[in-house]
Each structure stands twice: as C-alpha cells, then as structure tokens.
Amino acid sequence: AKDYELRQYETAKWVSTVIRGEGQKEAMCQGFWKLFHYIQGKNEREMKIDMTVPVTCLVKSGCTDFKISFFVPFEHQDSPPQPTDSDVFVEERKAAAIFVRSFGGFASPEKYAEEAEVLARTLRNRGQPFHEDFFYTAGYDSPFKLFNRHNEVWYFKK
C-alpha cells in the first residue's frame, strides 16, 4: 500500500532496557545512554560494538514503561556480550510480520503517536488484523542529522 508497508522480520537479538515512570522523551534519552554505554564496552567482554539502527521504543497504551532497544549487529547475533548493567538485557524477538508507516523530520512522542494513529486507522479501514495495544517507534538517524530524516511506527500483524 502507498501509505504503509508489510515487512517480515526474522528472529533476532536486541539489547534493551526498560525505563519506568518517565515521559517517553525522557525515557528515550535515559534508555539511549544506558544502551550506548553497553555498546561502548559496559559488557562482560568490555567489547565495543558498532551502533546499529533502528533504535526502537515499545509504547503500550495506558502504560508509562518504555522499552528502548538497539539491534545487535549481525556479527554478534549468535553470542552477544552480556551487559554488566543490571538494567540492560539481551532479548530475542521472534520472527514477525510488521506493518510499517514511515515519515520524515524530527519525531517527538506526539508525532509518533499521531503517525501510529494514522497507521492504525488505515489498517482498521482495510480490515488488516493487528495488535492494537502496543506499537514500536523506530528512529534511524543521529540527533545531528538535520535533513532527510527517517522514522517509523510499527504495528505487529495478528
């Protein structure tokens, strides 16, 4: 469809942290730095790991916990170093079909919510079954990139 795409993601490992009781913007900031320290060597092997994209944030309706995640690079998928920060963990996300809506610009929590609502409305109108109680935000750019930014919202297909 012209306003969204359906992607198939394979099973993969992500390094994640959950920030509780903060606003989404503050949670993203805190979570990003916890994960950044992990890839800079705050792990059992004191290994530096390349930064990957996207950075995702799990948003559940009516919940103030946000799970922020970095994709584990392909070369570390089989055996990612374990985090030494007890708030950081490696998780395996199962293969899934995901509805994706892309948009540009600097994405605020409000903009992500607005784009997620547009995607949800479109999917409902087209009779596409999806998990409506949560969505992921996905950011692909450094905060220093000013133009041609790429952001996404994801709903998992039922």
Side-chain angles (χ1 to χ4, degrees), residues 9-158:
Y9 281 96
E10 297 308 314
T11 298
K13 292 188 177 90
W14 294 70
V15 61
S16 302
T17 188
V18 175
I19 306 296
R20 293 180 170 82
E22 296 286 351
Q24 186 178 347
K25 190 171 186 159
E26 181 58 29
M28 281 291 296
C29 187
Q30 283 184 31
F32 177 90
W33 285 110
K34 282 184 176 289
L35 299 175
F36 186 77
H37 292 307
Y38 167 82
I39 66 171
Q40 287 298 300
K42 195 172 179 184
N43 57 63
E44 66 181 5
R45 292 188 223 146
E46 297 181 355
M47 174 190 288
K48 283 195 177 214
I49 299 168
D50 290 337
M51 176 79 201
T52 59
V53 292
V55 176
T56 65
C57 178
L58 172 62
V59 180
K60 295 180 190 171
S61 43
C63 184
T64 58
D65 294 356
F66 298 96
K67 181 170 66 175
I68 294 81
S69 307
F70 287 2
F71 178 78
V72 173
F74 292 109
E75 63 267 26
H76 300 292
Q77 279 286 316
D78 289 339
S79 179
Q82 288 305 303
T84 53
D85 180 339
S86 60
D87 291 340
V88 176
F89 56 95
V90 174
E91 65 173 335
E92 184 171 271
R93 292 189 195 166
K94 299 293 178 209
I98 300 176
F99 294 108
V100 178
R101 179 175 171 82
S102 300
F103 60 98
F106 280 90
S108 64
E110 296 76 21
K111 180 68 173 163
Y112 277 124
E114 183 183 303
E115 295 292 338
E117 184 47 45
V118 169
L119 177 56
R121 194 168 42 245
T122 302
L123 295 172
R124 282 186 214 107
N125 290 342
R126 301 219 173 119
Q128 293 283 6
F130 66 101
H131 293 277
E132 297 192 37
D133 52 332
F134 70 92
F135 66 90
Y136 279 90
T137 68
Y140 287 81
D141 302 305
S142 144
F144 307 110
K145 182 174 181 183
L146 301 179
F147 302 104
N148 300 316
R149 295 179 63 80
H150 183 82
N151 312 291
E152 296 174 349
V153 289
W154 299 352
Y155 275 111
F156 282 55
K157 183 175 179 168
K158 278 191 175 173

